[in-house]
Amino acid sequence: MSSTVAPRNRRVLFQVRNRRGLGHLMRVQNIATALRDRSPQLDLHFHAALPPTDELWDPTLFVTDDTVIGWPERARTCDPDVVVYDTVLPEANARLVSDRAKYVFVMRRMLEDRGAELFDDPFLERFEIVIVPHTETEFGQRIPNRLAGRTHFVGTIARQPHPASAATMRARFGLGDAEMLLTSTVGGGGFQRQADRFFEAVLHTGRAVAAALPNVRHVVVLGPNYHNTSIAADLAEVPGTIVVGNEPRMVDLLAASTLVVAEGGYNTVNEVRLGAVPAVFVPSDRGLDDQIERVRRLEQLGAAAVWLPGGAPATLATTVIDLLGNEQRRREMRSNHQMAPVELGNERAAELIAAVAA
């Protein structure tokens, strides 16, 4: 008597780069959420560099990490039908999961030289599709002809704020009706040198704000990968300041804010845009992307101000205090965000991956 084995569901394995920032982690989770809703029959798996912070990762999405099992072994035992890489390709000896697997690449805009280096990589020939989490105009770089037919500009991949975010966050942090909310965030916080510099400027600004505007509550989000307890302790001593390690619903906190002070990471900038929030950006150097270029676009729209590292901390404090004291200017900044509305690409990215998995 013979027996047959029922075919398993199509399996998709995402590699998650989460050692220092949160961009890869959140982008993959946002795509996966849309993919699960659209194609619940797919078997979704995830492998991270480090265990994701519990508050930031959906516990229903099965994830392993390098502290338990390495990527090559995880990929082998998972035996996926589709492998999704985000922004960075693995080392050459760990790219090809199997001959039968299909590959998808999520290609964020990079610095010109890093982008050119990526385009020259022969492994790109193995990819069924390339998903770009920008509009074509925002991406602004030429795609090589050999990739053009497989490249899809889907728009921003990000979370949207909840309609009740303002009331929820104000209640959570105990804000009175007349209090303004200033939020400072460095993203994941894993780029230590840049994060230290950011929080030193935020500390100076926080002290100046507390002295000038006692009706401001300042929430400082350190990021799950930031570990300088000395600066964190100094920040916590500033009157009116609340220091938290991470915020699971950062998009809601940003949307509820009167003003935001932040670096220029992909997630933060786009969540600021989705909330149409006035912001002062403090971009820093990165190896892959140009934060200054990203935030300058919003500055040119009149939706944000930019303070470049290396400037006097007093000028950042003055800019923040001036904006907190100028309701008309903040209203104009919120309005100016509408000149470059966000095109969300979560659903389109999910649709494309589902088609590869079919």
Side-chain angles (χ1 to χ4, degrees):
M1 182 176 180
S2 62
S3 62
T4 59
V5 178
R8 65 171 173 80
N9 289 341
R10 305 288 284 177
R11 186 170 294 165
V12 181
L13 175 62
F14 292 81
Q15 187 181 61
V16 185
R17 300 282 186 141
N18 66 326
R19 287 197 177 278
R20 298 199 283 182
L22 292 178
H24 304 283
L25 180 80
M26 300 312 300
R27 189 161 42 253
V28 163
Q29 186 168 212
N30 291 332
I31 293 173
T33 299
L35 185 59
R36 182 179 56 188
D37 292 344
R38 185 192 185 283
S39 303
Q41 77 281 3
L42 292 177
D43 186 12
L44 305 183
H45 292 251
F46 307 84
H47 184 78
L50 297 172
T53 304
D54 289 342
E55 295 90 343
L56 299 178
W57 184 257
D58 182 343
T60 67
L61 299 176
F62 177 64
V63 60
T64 55
D65 63 82
D66 285 343
T67 66
V68 177
I69 183 173
W71 166 255
E73 181 66 11
R74 175 71 177 101
R76 186 188 66 78
T77 57
C78 179
D79 188 27
D81 300 287
V82 178
V83 180
V84 182
Y85 294 127
D86 181 283
T87 306
V88 180
L89 297 174
E91 296 297 325
N93 61 354
R95 295 177 173 183
L96 193 64
V97 171
S98 72
D99 288 335
R100 72 174 191 83
K102 297 179 179 179
Y103 298 87
V104 174
F105 188 49
V106 180
M107 185 176 67
R108 199 186 64 198
R109 178 184 166 87
M110 295 183 182
L111 293 166
E112 291 282 353
D113 58 339
R114 295 301 300 271
E117 180 182 323
L118 173 68
F119 290 147
D120 287 341
D121 195 315
F123 187 56
L124 287 180
E125 304 304 325
R126 292 297 303 260
F127 286 84
E128 299 289 317
I129 59 171
V130 175
I131 295 172
V132 181
H134 308 272
T135 64
E136 189 168 2
T137 299
E138 289 171 349
F139 187 75
Q141 295 176 351
R142 179 182 171 276
I143 301 294
N145 290 337
R146 74 182 195 284
L147 292 178
R150 291 175 281 150
T151 299
H152 304 266
F153 296 90
V154 302
T156 298
I157 295 174
R159 300 174 296 179
Q160 293 197 74
H162 190 277
S165 59
T168 300
M169 288 297 169
R170 291 184 70 86
R172 177 173 173 178
F173 290 105
L175 271 73
D177 292 341
E179 287 185 299
M180 292 184 286
L181 173 57
L182 171 65
T183 297
S184 295
T185 174
V186 77
F191 294 86
Q192 191 70 40
R193 178 177 60 84
Q194 295 95 323
D196 282 345
R197 184 174 56 195
F198 175 87
F199 285 125
E200 286 166 0
V202 165
L203 176 61
H204 182 97
T205 297
R207 287 169 174 163
V209 169
L213 300 169
N215 65 325
V216 173
R217 185 66 61 89
H218 188 189
V219 175
V220 179
V221 184
L222 300 174
N225 299 320
Y226 185 70
H227 304 296
N228 189 330
T229 57
S230 175
I231 292 181
D234 289 342
L235 285 162
E237 291 180 358
V238 179
T241 301
I242 301 171
V243 179
V244 297
N246 61 76
E247 172 48 58
R249 290 297 304 176
M250 178 59 75
V251 66
D252 289 335
L253 177 58
L254 296 176
S257 299
T258 308
L259 181 69
V260 168
V261 178
E263 281 198 320
Y266 177 93
N267 276 341
T268 302
V269 170
N270 284 308
E271 289 183 357
V272 163
R273 292 175 64 200
L274 283 164
V277 188
V280 181
F281 288 111
V282 183
S284 69
D285 296 331
R286 289 289 190 271
L288 289 178
D289 64 337
D290 189 338
Q291 290 197 356
I292 294 177
E293 178 195 49
R294 183 180 292 131
V295 300
R296 285 294 193 200
R297 294 179 183 180
L298 292 184
E299 182 185 44
Q300 290 165 4
L301 286 173
V306 175
W307 183 81
L308 296 180
T315 62
L316 175 61
T318 298
T319 299
V320 169
I321 290 171
D322 286 349
L323 285 172
L324 287 170
N326 191 337
E327 183 178 357
Q328 176 60 32
R329 177 68 185 114
R330 297 197 310 273
R331 190 178 297 115
E332 290 171 357
M333 294 172 85
R334 288 187 178 276
S335 178
N336 289 340
H337 272 289
Q338 306 309 316
M339 293 172 18
V342 178
E343 295 182 27
L344 276 179
N346 303 30
E347 300 295 335
R348 178 58 177 154
E351 178 185 359
L352 289 165
I353 294 172
V356 173

